[in-house]
Amino acid sequence: MHTEALGRRGLLRASAATGAAAALTATAAGSPASAAAGPGGAGTAGTAAAPGDITGRDGTETRTVRGRLEPGAPDYVYVPVEVPAGIRELAVSYRYDKPSVPAGTPGNALDIGIFDERGTAPGGRGFRGWSGGFRTEFAISAERATPGYLPGPVRPGTWQVVLAPYTVAPQGLEYELTVTLRPGPAGETPQPVYPPPRAKGRGRAWYRGDCHLHTVYSDGRRTPAEVAAAARSAGLDFITTTEHNTHAGHAAWEGLWGDDLLIMTGEEVTTRNGHVLALGIDPGTFVDWRYRARDNAFGRHAARIRRAGGLVVPAHPHAVCVGCGWKFGPAEADALEVWNGPFTPDDEVSVAAWDSALAAAAQDPFRRPGHDTRPGRRPGPAGPGWLPAIGNSDAHREGQDVGLPQTVVLAEDLSREAVLAGIRAGRCWIAESSEVGLSFSVTDGRGRRAGIGERLRAAPDAEVTARLEVSGAPGCSVRLITDQGQLYATALPAAGTGSAEWRTTPRYAAYVRAEVRHPASDGGASGLPGPMAAMTNPVFLGRE
């Protein structure tokens, strides 16, 4: 594609040599200096024509360009914006066409973000914000920025608006991009105030939390204050903010934490081959998202998450939306989100796939194979050889309940470090609400006990007893699952409070885990269980 930078003056000037409008600069992801194809596309990214410059009396200049993206365009198309000195605010708006498409064919969807003069190189040094397809306009100045974007000086140099064609209709995608540069003094950028790493807590205890939440800082409809209030109403002890592809919301929680609520920072890294939670990363950490599974790049970014103190947690791995299903494999993960929002068939598939992996890891569940631990090498997952299961609401707006579901973690205290350690070790279970209580353990005849996420070391033929206690689950039944499948089930009393015991041996069951289920909607005619009310991580049985 023939290009010229989008500048304060002479934006997309007509070429004197050809008499035609110059084309908009648009480069592929990871290749700011060329128009070569990036992940997800090939060939030219599109062209744009300039309708002319508009300059206001106060020196404000507005530039509008129109362009076209064809099916198969690169995943990320960069539009250069030359910013001169003396600019107080940069504002961007855009729109694109949405033609009718044949049934079963995706229509147009175009996401947007921006990088500043420090560039678009992987790692995000120049990252200044992302709103995906949630907003049609944004603005950045030193003092403030649209939610999802980072306030800071609008320094002179080449900025890059990034357009991300999520899906392109067969007819192509026509877009219009408008950039406004407002002159004036830069102003001062406020110092970000981040949530503290611990709350008062109750010492070593089971703490309830929701680690996948969105606000207006990405595509959510709730403010941080509304999410914090909903978390307290749901009986949660901790939450994690996980906006799509931006850390701009990390500093939006001032005054919302307290002795009763720990707020952790994170990011939902939204790639074209699946979403992953960067759970509990250091505040202010950016995790890049501009790659696909075929690029063999995810390991570097997973290591970035762990260096920032966080956990790598694939989100809704079997979701059916475009780009949502997890295609990177389990090798870099620290845990797995098997239950996302109200329990649905894709969650059922996630639980089944997770359980199959448990069986494969059961011989040596507490060793992570295949990771180079030599000094200077990329760090691998630090948890057990199996992936602990967690559940989160992924709530975006009213009608989507914060804390449905929630992960209940055994932690030494209510701190980021302790909560993440509990999740990493698998000392956690999932509940549909704080009304559901549960305890699960396995004991042997010598009085030894192992709880959720642990191993009961016993001889192959030693008899062991699994005991489950449940409250707050009226009308539900319980199931005990092993590497062979379900080997025990019973109904709870009508009030939903009761217990169940089952005896086995390590030779017969490599692990035992518990599920609490609602009745099946078809009365069990299909043989499928009803929706989940609660589930545990396994207790492994046998010697090392």
Side-chain angles (χ1 to χ4, degrees):
M1 191 169 63
H2 306 290
T3 60
E4 181 178 341
L6 198 166
R8 184 182 181 189
R9 285 177 168 78
L11 175 82
L12 300 176
R13 294 184 182 92
S15 167
T18 64
L24 178 66
T25 297
T27 61
S31 307
S34 75
T44 60
T47 59
D53 303 349
I54 300 175
T55 303
R57 292 183 178 179
D58 62 352
T60 296
E61 299 207 24
T62 299
R63 310 284 181 258
T64 299
V65 295
R66 298 179 182 88
R68 177 179 176 82
L69 297 172
E70 301 294 344
D75 285 345
Y76 304 104
V77 175
Y78 295 97
V79 181
V81 179
E82 293 300 327
V83 176
I87 296 300
R88 173 181 61 84
E89 181 183 75
L90 180 152
V92 176
S93 64
Y94 81 122
R95 62 184 180 179
Y96 59 93
D97 67 330
K98 298 180 180 180
S100 298
V101 295
T105 302
N108 285 336
L110 184 64
D111 295 345
I112 195 168
I114 195 167
F115 290 77
D116 66 20
E117 84 291 345
R118 291 171 293 179
T120 63
R125 184 168 177 263
F127 177 75
R128 292 297 293 270
W130 177 262
S131 51
F134 185 61
R135 300 182 187 281
T136 59
E137 59 186 13
F138 62 85
I140 297 173
S141 68
E143 300 97 334
R144 63 185 64 86
T146 300
Y149 293 80
L150 299 169
V154 182
R155 293 179 290 262
T158 304
W159 289 49
Q160 304 276 353
V161 175
V162 54
L163 300 176
Y166 183 61
T167 54
V168 178
Q171 303 96 314
L173 186 154
E174 304 278 350
Y175 67 86
E176 180 180 279
L177 177 67
T178 300
V179 177
T180 300
L181 302 173
R182 297 186 175 96
E188 294 187 9
T189 302
Q191 189 70 22
V193 179
Y194 296 128
R198 66 177 58 245
K200 182 177 181 180
R202 305 181 297 277
R204 180 179 171 83
W206 291 94
Y207 294 101
R208 295 175 179 265
D210 190 341
C211 293
H212 188 169
L213 291 163
H214 298 279
T215 73
V216 294
Y217 280 80
S218 61
D219 61 344
R221 297 289 183 180
R222 292 183 174 104
T223 64
E226 289 169 334
V227 169
R232 287 182 165 96
S233 296
L236 301 184
D237 302 295
F238 65 91
I239 58 174
T240 307
T241 171
T242 54
E243 309 294 2
H244 292 281
N245 294 352
T246 181
H247 58 291
H250 288 185
W253 299 83
E254 185 175 2
L256 300 178
W257 57 79
D259 288 347
D260 63 329
L261 185 65
L262 171 71
I263 299 176
M264 300 190 294
T265 52
E267 180 183 330
E268 184 173 5
V269 183
T270 305
T271 79
R272 296 302 177 89
N273 288 154
H275 301 185
V276 62
L277 303 177
L279 199 163
I281 52 178
D282 294 332
T285 299
F286 168 79
V287 182
D288 215 322
W289 27 265
R290 294 170 292 167
Y291 45 85
R292 292 194 183 202
R294 67 191 182 206
D295 300 320
N296 196 29
F298 179 63
R300 299 195 303 273
H301 300 289
R304 165 71 167 152
I305 293 170
R306 283 189 286 273
R307 285 195 299 270
L311 300 183
V312 179
V313 184
H316 44 68
H318 292 89
V320 297
C321 48
V322 174
C324 295
W326 185 247
K327 303 296 177 64
F328 293 89
E332 296 290 343
D334 296 300
L336 186 68
E337 185 187 75
V338 303
W339 183 354
N340 176 280
F343 199 81
T344 55
D346 57 293
D347 298 311
E348 195 73 70
V349 174
S350 294
V351 170
W354 167 76
D355 182 79
S356 295
L358 289 182
Q363 184 176 1
D364 194 358
F366 293 93
R367 179 178 299 172
R368 277 286 172 102
H371 291 284
D372 194 338
T373 58
R374 289 175 291 173
R377 301 290 179 170
R378 175 173 54 81
W386 57 282
L387 287 182
I390 67 171
N392 303 299
S393 72
D394 196 5
H396 286 68
R397 58 187 64 85
E398 292 299 325
Q400 298 178 350
D401 295 339
V402 173
L404 170 58
Q406 54 196 246
T407 300
V408 190
V409 183
L410 180 60
E412 298 301 318
D413 55 40
L414 187 53
S415 67
R416 179 180 74 149
E417 181 179 4
V419 168
L420 295 183
I423 293 173
R424 184 185 297 112
R427 297 192 303 267
C428 50
W429 58 279
I430 310 170
E432 66 179 358
S433 76
S434 59
E435 298 297 317
V436 180
L438 179 152
S439 67
F440 182 59
S441 62
V442 183
T443 58
D444 66 8
R446 300 169 62 182
R448 293 179 297 187
R449 176 186 179 279
I452 297 169
E454 299 175 341
R455 185 213 306 263
L456 181 63
R457 293 178 171 83
D461 294 314
E463 186 177 80
V464 300
T465 302
R467 180 175 177 82
L468 174 68
E469 297 182 358
V470 180
S471 62
C476 291
S477 61
V478 301
R479 307 180 343 137
L480 298 184
I481 313 295
T482 77
D483 55 313
Q484 295 187 73
Q486 176 184 313
L487 292 180
Y488 178 80
T490 188
L492 289 169
T497 298
S499 61
E501 285 191 358
W502 179 65
R503 291 178 176 81
T504 188
T505 67
R507 188 185 302 279
Y508 190 51
Y511 62 85
V512 185
R513 63 179 184 85
E515 294 182 352
V516 182
R517 297 272 192 163
H518 292 284
S521 59
D522 62 359
S526 65
L528 297 175
M532 199 80 73
M535 60 175 284
T536 74
N537 275 293
V539 179
F540 289 93
L541 307 177
R543 294 172 176 166
E544 293 183 0

